[in-house]
Every structure is written in structure tokens, then in C-alpha cells.
């Protein structure tokens, strides 16, 4: 296995975070403000608690202000919407993220759409989805944006390349396809109803797997030299032990791929780095200043 084939998201995310820390220091020194991110956690979902803790730690490490709001699992939708209203109005809060999934009594879409689009650092608001689709200046979902930067770092100009995106979620699949279109790729969106998925994937220069099925994409599905970005993160049991795997069968794909992201250590670290980047962008726009170089 060649290490050169492995796309190291962890190292790339670290470079981005180092740059963000410098940009935050510049804003504090020259513009007199500190970007602030508010993260809201409702309930006790174990994975969500880990994500929220990591987000808080990395926000503070970059020099930004971190505002954490932890609400009981029985919290009503009205109470959560009231908190979002306060955060929308708070000038110290430049980015708002409500950790998903939410408890059953709360309508996630209503909550997302209550967030000020200019503070919606997850990029899930219908206004930001519309801006992305029409080439406007919105906030972009963090995971697809991180995937795009990894691709551009590895391939340079993406124009004319054929990309197959497996998965059509609002969080990854659709915005990923839109970002690739904006880079002048030819984009195919594949999903559970696609006929002959392996044949579609074999035509791709770029494969983005974001379907939530462990090790689904096999090596013989790939065109020789294709670049594979594995967004999946699945906990499976193998030989009596639990391990994390992606949506791509890494061992069978590494031989044919030109480059591939591992799980863990590929796309995952990029997501939080891009969240910090989005908070920085949102803060600069709200204060009417240029993003520091």
C-alpha cells in the first residue's frame, strides 16, 4: 500500500486550523472583534456529546469564543426556538449550530429554518441551499466543503472531470453535487434506486461515497486511478471487536484508486475545520470586513 495514495484529512485539517487561528488573531488585533460560535445540544445522544465537546475545544483552541447550550431531552420545540431567537439577536454570536439528531418532539427542519441564514454555519437553511444552487454567496455545508478542498488539493483544477456522488441527502449528497458542478465537473448523483450502480461508478474520475452503508463500494467498481472520498462512518463488529469503517471497502479499493481517504482520519477532521472556517467567514461578513489573508 502506498502512503502517497492516502489522503490525510487530519494533517490537512490541522493546516486549515493553524491558518484560522492566525486569521482570528488578526481580526482581534486590527478589527477589534472575536468570532463566536454557539453550539446547541438537546438530549444525551452519546455521539452528539462527543462531537459537541470536540467542536467546543477546537473553537477555543482557534481563539474564537465558544458558547455551549445544553438542553434536556424533554425540551419543547418552543423553548428551543426561543433560544435560537436570542442567539440570532446576539451580536457576539456569529455562527449557530444545532446538533442533529433532535428528540422526536422537535421538528428539525423548523429549527434549521429558524436560524438566521447568515449565522447558519452548517449551511442547512433553505436560503443557503438556494444560494449554493444559484451561485450566490451563502454558507456551505461543512462536510461537502471539506471534501471539495481535499479533492482540489490532490487534483488541482476539477473542470471536466466526471464525478459520481453516491447519496442524495441534504447534508452531503446534494450540496456535494452542487459544489462539484460549480467547479465545472460532470456530475452524476447515484442512490439506492440507481440501476447498476457499479457501472455508474466505473465511469467516474471522482467517487464520493455518502450513503451510510458499511464497505458498500468495492474495488472492482472503480476506474483505475479514480480519486475516492469516503464520507461514511459506520460502527461494525468484526472478529468480536467494534471498528469504524467507511462506505468504501478500503482494502479492495486502495489498489485501484489513484487516491483515497481513510476512515477514520479522512473526511471527519475536515468537517470541524470547515465549521470554524464558516464561523470566521460569517463573522467577517456580519462586520463588513475582508477575510484576513
Amino acid at each position: 500500500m502506498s502512503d502517497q495514495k492516502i489522503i490525510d484529512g487530519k494533517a490537512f485539517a490541522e493546516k486549515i486550523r493553524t491558518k484560522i487561528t492566525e486569521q482570528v488573531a488578526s481580526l482581534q488585533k486590527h478589527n477589534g472583534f472575536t468570532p463566536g460560535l454557539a453550539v446547541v445540544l438537546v438530549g444525551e445522544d452519546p455521539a452528539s456529546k462527543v462531537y459537541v465537546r470536540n467542536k467546543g475545544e477546537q473553537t477555543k483552541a482557534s481563539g474564537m469564543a465558544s458558547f455551549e447550550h445544553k438542553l434536556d431531552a424533554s425540551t419543547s420545540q418552543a423553548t428551543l426556538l426561543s433560544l435560537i431567537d436570542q442567539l440570532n439577536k446576539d451580536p457576539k454570536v456569529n455562527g449557530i449550530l444545532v446538533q442533529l439528531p433532535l428528540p422526536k418532539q422537535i421538528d428539525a427542519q423548523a429549527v434549521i429554518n429558524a436560524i438566521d441564514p447568515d449565522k447558519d454555519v452548517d449551511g442547512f437553511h433553505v436560503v443557503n441551499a438556494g444560494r449554493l444552487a444559484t451561485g450566490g454567496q451563502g454558507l456551505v455545508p461543512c462536510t461537502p466543503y471539506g471534501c471539495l478542498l481535499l479533492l482540489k488539493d490532490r487534483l488541482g483544477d476539477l473542470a471536466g472531470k466526471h464525478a459520481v456522488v453516491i447519496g442524495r441527502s441534504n447534508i452531503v449528497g446534494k450540496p456535494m453535487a452542487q459544489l462539484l458542478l460549480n467547479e465545472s465537473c460532470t456530475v452524476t448523483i447515484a442512490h439506492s434506486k440507481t440501476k447498476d450502480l457499479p457501472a455508474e461508478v466505473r465511469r467516474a474520475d471522482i467517487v464520493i461515497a455518502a450513503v451510510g452503508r458499511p464497505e458498500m463500494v468495492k474495488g472492482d467498481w472503480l476506474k483505475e486511478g479514480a480519486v475516492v472520498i469516503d464520507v461514511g462512518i459506520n460502527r461494525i463488529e468484526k472478529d468480536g471487536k467494534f471498528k469504524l469503517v467507511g462506505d468504501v471497502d478500503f482494502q479492495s479499493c486502495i489498489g485501484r484508486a489513484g487516491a483515497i481517504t481513510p476512515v477514520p482520519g479522512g473526511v471527519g477532521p475536515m468537517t470541524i475545520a470547515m465549521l470554524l472556517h464558516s464561523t470566521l467567514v460569517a463573522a467577517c461578513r456580519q462586520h463588513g470586513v475582508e477575510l484576513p489573508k
Side-chain angles (χ1 to χ4, degrees):
M1 186 200 305
S2 163
D3 279 351
Q4 290 171 325
K5 282 192 173 188
I6 307 284
I7 298 173
D8 188 345
K10 205 172 169 187
F12 196 83
E14 206 163 298
K15 278 198 293 196
I16 291 170
R17 289 201 310 272
T18 301
K19 174 76 175 166
I20 288 169
T21 305
E22 291 166 7
Q23 290 170 307
V24 169
S26 171
L27 289 174
Q28 289 165 332
K29 184 178 175 185
H30 300 294
N31 304 96
F33 71 89
T34 299
L37 172 64
V39 178
V40 181
L41 175 64
V42 186
E44 297 287 322
D45 181 76
S48 293
K49 282 168 85 170
V50 172
Y51 286 138
V52 167
R53 188 176 70 236
N54 288 346
K55 285 167 183 169
E57 285 170 1
Q58 291 193 31
T59 303
K60 289 174 198 153
S62 71
M64 294 192 203
S66 173
F67 308 98
E68 288 182 36
H69 297 269
K70 292 179 179 163
L71 306 178
D72 195 80
S74 62
T75 298
S76 71
Q77 183 166 312
T79 302
L80 179 54
L81 291 175
S82 170
L83 171 61
I84 289 168
D85 186 50
Q86 287 170 38
L87 297 173
N88 282 340
K89 291 171 180 164
D90 186 343
K92 290 195 189 74
V93 174
N94 305 113
I96 302 168
L97 180 148
V98 178
Q99 186 66 46
L100 303 176
L102 289 165
K104 285 197 287 285
Q105 74 274 15
I106 298 174
D107 173 2
Q109 202 55 52
V111 169
I112 289 164
N113 287 338
I115 298 170
D116 178 345
D118 295 332
K119 293 189 176 188
D120 163 42
V121 283
D122 255 338
F124 295 162
H125 193 288
V126 67
V127 167
N128 281 319
R131 286 169 176 164
L132 179 59
T134 56
Q137 201 182 51
L139 293 166
V140 180
C142 302
T143 300
Y145 194 22
C147 294
L148 182 72
L149 292 191
L150 291 176
L151 283 170
K152 289 175 82 167
D153 181 63
R154 182 56 67 129
L155 293 171
D157 184 12
L158 303 182
K161 298 206 179 296
H162 185 176
V164 171
V165 179
I166 311 170
R168 52 178 164 177
S169 73
N170 292 337
I171 293 172
V172 180
K174 288 177 190 169
M176 187 75 245
Q178 201 60 63
L179 285 166
L180 290 164
L181 271 179
N182 293 352
E183 295 292 328
S184 300
C185 290
T186 300
V187 183
T188 301
I189 304 177
H191 44 77
S192 58
K193 302 283 194 296
T194 298
K195 288 179 180 168
D196 201 354
L197 181 58
E200 293 294 340
V201 174
R202 277 186 205 109
R203 295 162 54 212
D205 305 305
I206 295 166
V207 180
I208 313 279
V211 76
R213 288 180 57 191
E215 301 180 325
M216 186 180 88
V217 178
K218 305 299 181 192
D220 64 2
W221 292 22
L222 298 182
K223 177 161 97 174
E224 191 75 44
V227 176
V228 181
I229 304 288
D230 190 352
V231 183
I233 185 147
N234 310 284
R235 195 164 174 262
I236 64 164
E237 194 174 346
K238 255 193 182 171
D239 309 322
K241 288 180 188 163
F242 283 103
K243 62 178 284 192
L244 290 177
V245 299
D247 292 350
V248 171
D249 180 3
F250 187 85
Q251 290 309 326
S252 73
C253 288
I254 184 86
R256 287 183 70 79
I260 187 168
T261 57
V263 175
V267 173
M270 291 297 290
T271 299
I272 297 183
M274 299 326 297
L275 172 67
L276 300 179
H277 173 76
S278 288
T279 304
L280 185 68
V281 167
C284 289
R285 286 179 187 165
Q286 287 159 37
H287 283 87
V289 302
E290 290 276 310
L291 194 65
K293 290 283 179 274

